[in-house]
Structure formats: structure tokens, C-alpha cells
Amino acid sequence: MAEPEFTATGVRIGKRLRSLTRAGQVRISDGRLELLTSYGSEIDSAPVQSVRASKPWFAPDDRALADLNGERYLLTMGEQDPAPGKPGPPAARSFIEAVRRAARRGG
């Protein structure tokens, strides 16, 4: 298995008004976006080309939307990237850029 292109831990993942996990993982690897619980169980996954990632209107900078398989997930990440070598989730804009980069690359 190749090194993941993007990994974020400590991400709150919600669907509509329901929180699915408060410390989940988001990973882009081998052309797929995976949403995982804090225990590593898969919530949802899809090929990167079919994923739509965006910033919700009128929301804080730490939020991103991800549309996978007809479902919309609200991801709460960090407001800014952590300092090098420091733990913490990356900024939402880093996630959106990573999805777009992976989709352009074709997976």
C-alpha cells in the first residue's frame, strides 16, 4: 500500500445534524477518499474523481463539505495548519486542495 497523499486525524465528521465521530480520520490514498471513525472503521469512501469538496457558506474557516456517494458530510478540521512537528488536524482549505490535486492527477 502506498503512502497516503493526505491524512487528517482528530476530525469531527457529521452528516446533517448528526455527529458520526468527534475524532475521526480523513485519508486520501490510492485514488480514494476515506472517512474513518476514531477506531479505524470506515464511514464512507469513494474514488477521488467522484468526490466534491468545498467550503460551506457562512461557516467558520475550520469546516469543509465532502460529497461522497450522494451523501454530504461536514468535516470540522483546524482553522490553520499546525506548526511543523506539532500534532493537530490540518486546515480545511488544505483538505479541499488535496482532493482537487488528487482528482487532477487521476487518482
Side-chain angles (χ1 to χ4, degrees), residues 15-90:
K15 190 161 115 178
R16 300 191 188 231
L17 296 175
R18 195 175 101 207
S19 177
L20 301 174
T21 183
R22 294 187 332 184
Q25 294 180 348
V26 176
R27 184 170 46 205
I28 298 174
S29 181
D30 297 328
R32 291 190 70 79
L33 172 70
E34 298 174 307
L35 303 178
L36 307 169
T37 66
S38 55
Y39 298 107
S41 301
E42 185 176 291
I43 295 170
D44 205 349
S45 71
V48 173
Q49 290 87 359
S50 68
V51 173
R52 199 173 111 226
S54 60
K55 171 98 179 65
W57 287 21
F58 306 111
D61 287 339
D62 64 346
R63 307 253 169 102
L65 291 174
D67 293 327
L68 284 82
N69 302 322
E71 297 289 342
R72 177 169 286 175
Y73 296 94
L74 178 63
L75 310 175
T76 305
M77 300 180 153
E79 288 187 28
Q80 56 189 1
D81 288 327
K86 299 286 184 186

